[in-house]
Amino acid sequence: MVSEHASPLAVLGGVDAGGQNVHVAELSGALADRGHHVTVYTRREDASQAVRVRLRPGVDVVHVDAGPARSVPKDELFPYMGTFAAVLAAEWFVDRPDVVHAHFWMSGHAALDAVAQVQARSGGTRVPVVQTFHALGVVKRRHQGAADTSPAEREWVEPAVGRSVDQVVATCSDEAFELKALGVPLHNISVVPCGVDVTRFRPDGAAEPRGRAHRVLTVSRLVRRKGVGTTIAALARLVEQGRDVELVVVGGAGVAGADLPDDPEHQRLDALARSLGVRDHVTFRGQLGQHEMPALYRSADVVVCAPWYEPFGIVPLEAMACGRAVVASRVGGLIDTVVEDATGLHVPPRDESAVAAAVGALLDAPDRRAAYGLAGRERVEARYTWQQVAADSERVYSRLGAARTTHPGRVARAVTPTERTAR
């Protein structure tokens, strides 16, 4: 696995720490459970980080020295990808992996560079490269316009990566259509969704106490396009209707339970809540660990996911796994995961009145909420477990000749990259 900015060890909720971190960690672990050895390469963000860290049995995380050993916004990392690729090539020349799975466009660029270097030095066939983008620059530009901070190189490098890798794994059907428009052949596109830990996220168990009669929850990185402002505005409409409801917001630059005064988006959202007269109805929780989230999900009547666009979105899966009804924007992966009037309700993006109406309707109908919750749990158990996602991913790898079958349903252990004591 190559995940240049999204370490599986990262705390979630920061500007550049979200669903991709969870995806890489959980997919790697589920593949290890199926008999593989997985090494995740990610950029070193702290000089004190060990070169190699055992995430869990069968999964190692290797910190690559590429750029300064500190946190750098992902949109500023492209100049360091040549160094990143050189480290990968040095590793893989000594111990060739069976398959490389790159996550995000810069990881794909570095992975292709590295396998080309290995092939040039050793001859033979190229190590197959699988790509998951997690987000596409063309979609980001469409929705953010001048606010898009992606480097200029993304416009041409990202489509080139899609056309050069052996297989692109799209996480939803909407992304597959976008990839086709970028020139990626349909036969090189597989759709494998993200997943959810259905053992950790489940309906039964402790629930946090509420501060008001009803609780609405939203969980996301605090960036504008995630639509938390839309949810706060919708809350104000519900309060105006006389409802005793609170909104809990998880995510941002702060740590669990701390205020977030230095987070610009938090400051904007705080000011919005104050201007709408609902600041005492909103709690900003900062970043929370995965182990803290199930009790919080179970405390909510409704979970709102109202982004402007969303490549996939793991939060609705976590909410459904906990038996919660979901109100979600009708965009991207949320179209696939949330089934209209079965596991939740869809609303147009950036439409506070629609969000308020949908949430209000569910708050007024506890039996309907419960039915959505039951259906949501059944849906994630049937389609979105990490075990299922790993099996689907394994089939993609196998089609590329990357897996050596030893007995049905299992794959031989991949060669373990050497322990490097210095970079």
Side-chain angles (χ1 to χ4, degrees), residues 143 216-221 223-235 247-250 265 268-269 302-316 319 325-332 334-335 338 345-359:
H143 290 276
V216 176
L217 173 66
T218 188
V219 182
S220 78
R221 292 181 289 124
V223 292
R224 196 161 193 152
R225 65 137 175 125
K226 289 293 187 177
V228 178
T230 301
T231 306
I232 291 175
L235 172 76
L247 172 65
V248 177
V249 179
V250 175
E265 182 62 4
R268 188 187 73 84
L269 294 171
V302 180
V303 177
V304 176
C305 306
W308 303 354
Y309 67 95
E310 186 61 72
F312 184 80
I314 288 178
V315 170
V326 178
V327 171
S329 297
R330 194 181 297 109
V331 295
L334 306 185
I335 299 172
V338 179
L345 297 173
H346 284 133
V347 294
R350 305 200 212 192
D351 190 335
E352 64 192 60
S353 63
V355 173
V359 172

Side-chain angles (χ1 to χ4, degrees), residues 1-10 16 20-21 24 39-46 49-53 55 60-68 77 81 84 87-88 92 101 103 107 423:
M1 300 286 177
V2 182
S3 182
E4 95 292 328
H5 76 274
S7 169
L9 301 172
D16 289 331
Q20 183 177 327
N21 305 69
V24 172
T39 302
V40 181
Y41 292 89
T42 192
R43 203 185 70 84
R44 183 192 299 280
E45 293 191 338
D46 186 332
Q49 290 172 324
V51 172
R52 184 180 294 268
V53 177
L55 179 63
D60 293 330
V61 178
V62 173
H63 293 112
V64 175
D65 289 315
L77 290 177
M81 289 302 101
F84 197 101
V87 174
L88 297 179
W92 299 344
H101 190 160
H103 298 265
S107 293
R423 289 278 183 245

Side-chain angles (χ1 to χ4, degrees), residues 4 14 58-59 81 98 128 175 206 209 221 230 241 266 311 314 332 349 360 384:
E4 95 292 328
V59 182
M81 289 302 101
D98 293 307
E175 183 185 3
R221 292 181 289 124
T230 301
Q241 296 168 8
H266 167 259
I314 288 178
Y384 295 106

Side-chain angles (χ1 to χ4, degrees), residues 180-204:
K180 181 177 180 293
L182 291 177
V184 180
L186 279 176
H187 65 269
N188 282 355
I189 302 172
S190 301
V191 177
V192 179
C194 299
V196 63
D197 183 342
V198 295
T199 301
R200 169 176 289 162
F201 295 95
R202 54 188 308 113
D204 56 301

Side-chain angles (χ1 to χ4, degrees), residues 258-310:
D259 199 7
L260 310 168
D262 297 327
D263 186 319
E265 182 62 4
H266 167 259
Q267 293 173 353
R268 188 187 73 84
L269 294 171
D270 181 89
L272 175 64
R274 293 180 189 279
S275 69
L276 294 173
V278 293
R279 184 62 184 86
D280 59 337
H281 290 257
V282 181
T283 302
F284 293 96
R285 294 288 294 274
Q287 299 173 3
L288 296 181
Q290 286 278 282
H291 65 283
E292 300 173 272
M293 290 304 301
L296 184 55
Y297 278 117
R298 289 191 287 262
S299 74
D301 293 299
V302 180
V303 177
V304 176
C305 306
W308 303 354
Y309 67 95
E310 186 61 72

Side-chain angles (χ1 to χ4, degrees), residues 91-98 118 122-128 415:
E91 288 267 339
W92 299 344
F93 180 73
V94 176
D95 287 307
R96 176 188 171 103
D98 293 307
V118 171
S122 61
T125 59
R126 190 186 80 171
V127 176
V415 177

